[in-house]
């Protein structure tokens, strides 16, 4: 079940993340690893740009799901990338956020706990079509249940296509079907 984050909880987690990053910089500086410090700072800049791109998509509930995912008690780590960015007006944010929440729940139920399970999301958004590429790598314990979930319809304007399946990887794409072509 998706946790409802209040402002203080969000600030607490954000502060914790920033303190970890500062500690990492401080530790590398004390070891005189200036090149590593530069790399860490560059990683922080890239991450901040990605957060900005995500929050600028005009999908606040979906963005919130991705931004807070790693703060929840999931059995996987999430990363995301917005490769093409545009303010989206043709998607149902609530529908997408609810589906994403169900994806996270289903994934948690179908993977081996305490393993290196990883979910990557890549988003390409433009005026007419938006594509979400999902790549899971890790240990699936119930591949058939996970694939059944992916066969369920997302809504009348979105479609899922599974492109790769193995015991340790599932790749799929969700894309919008513009209303003119439905």
């Amino acid at each position: 079940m998706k946790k409802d984050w209040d402002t203080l909880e969000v600030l607490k987690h954000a502060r914790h993340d920033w303190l970890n990053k500062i500690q990492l910089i401080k530790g590398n500086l004390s070891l005189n690893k200036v090149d590593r410090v530069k790399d860490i700072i560059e990683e922080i800049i890239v991450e901040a740009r990605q957060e900005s791109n995500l929050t600028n998509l005009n999908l606040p509930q979906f963005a919130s799901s991705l931004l807070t995912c790693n703060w929840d008690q999931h059995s996987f780590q999430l990363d995301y990338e917005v490769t093409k960015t545009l303010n989206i007006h043709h998607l149902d944010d609530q529908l997408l956020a609810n589906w994403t929440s169900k994806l996270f729940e289903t994934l948690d139920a179908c993977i081996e706990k305490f393993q290196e399970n990883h979910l990557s999301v890549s988003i390409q958004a433009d005026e007419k079509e938006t594509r979400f590429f999902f790549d899971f790598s890790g240990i699936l314990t119930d591949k058939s249940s996970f694939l059944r979930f992916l066969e369920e319809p997302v809504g009348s304007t979105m479609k899922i296509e599974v492109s790769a399946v193995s015991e340790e990887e599932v790749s799929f794409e969700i894309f919008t079907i513009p209303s003119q072509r439905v």
Side-chain angles (χ1 to χ4, degrees):
M1 176 129 182
K2 184 175 176 352
K3 180 176 168 108
D4 222 4
W5 294 95
D6 69 25
T7 304
L8 290 178
E9 287 175 307
V10 168
L11 290 172
K12 175 183 164 190
H13 280 280
R15 181 177 55 249
H16 181 264
D17 288 350
W18 274 106
L19 284 174
N20 284 344
K21 292 170 186 173
I22 291 169
Q23 284 291 82
L24 196 55
I25 291 169
K26 187 177 172 185
N28 280 283
L29 280 175
S30 70
L31 296 172
N32 203 27
K33 293 185 176 183
V34 177
D35 287 340
R36 179 63 186 130
V37 170
K38 289 178 183 178
D39 290 343
I40 293 166
I41 291 170
E42 187 57 36
E43 289 167 11
I44 292 169
I45 291 168
V46 168
E47 183 180 330
R49 283 187 184 134
Q50 286 300 316
E51 286 178 5
S52 176
N53 290 344
L54 180 64
T55 57
N56 287 333
L57 289 175
N58 194 35
L59 297 170
Q61 293 174 67
F62 172 72
S64 177
S65 295
L66 296 190
L67 289 168
T68 61
C69 177
N70 291 330
W71 297 345
D72 287 323
Q73 299 298 314
H74 292 295
S75 297
F76 61 90
Q77 277 295 115
L78 175 95
D79 67 54
Y80 59 87
E81 176 183 25
V82 182
T83 58
K84 207 173 170 189
T85 181
L86 188 72
N87 196 319
I88 300 172
H89 296 287
H90 60 275
L91 285 180
D92 182 339
D93 183 36
Q94 182 68 54
L95 175 74
L96 187 58
N98 288 344
W99 181 86
T100 302
S101 180
K102 288 178 188 165
L103 168 67
F104 294 167
E105 288 175 26
T106 303
L107 195 53
D108 276 329
C110 295
I111 60 178
E112 191 166 321
K113 314 294 184 231
F114 311 111
Q115 299 298 319
E116 282 198 38
N117 298 306
H118 193 84
L119 180 64
S120 294
V121 182
S122 180
I123 304 162
Q124 293 180 347
D126 63 35
E127 290 176 17
K128 294 183 180 173
E129 183 176 65
T130 303
R131 292 183 174 270
F132 301 87
F133 300 92
F134 292 81
D135 288 303
F136 169 78
S137 62
I139 300 176
L140 280 169
T141 56
D142 191 352
K143 182 172 62 171
S144 60
S145 290
F146 189 63
L147 292 175
R148 271 194 307 277
F149 168 77
L150 294 178
E151 290 172 358
E152 295 173 11
V154 179
S156 62
T157 61
M158 299 181 77
K159 183 175 179 181
I160 299 176
E161 266 184 24
V162 177
S163 55
V165 179
S166 72
E167 295 302 321
E168 296 178 350
E169 181 183 0
V170 176
S171 296
F172 58 98
E173 171 185 356
I174 298 178
F175 54 94
T176 56
I177 305 167
S179 54
Q180 303 90 286
R181 289 195 261 157
V182 173

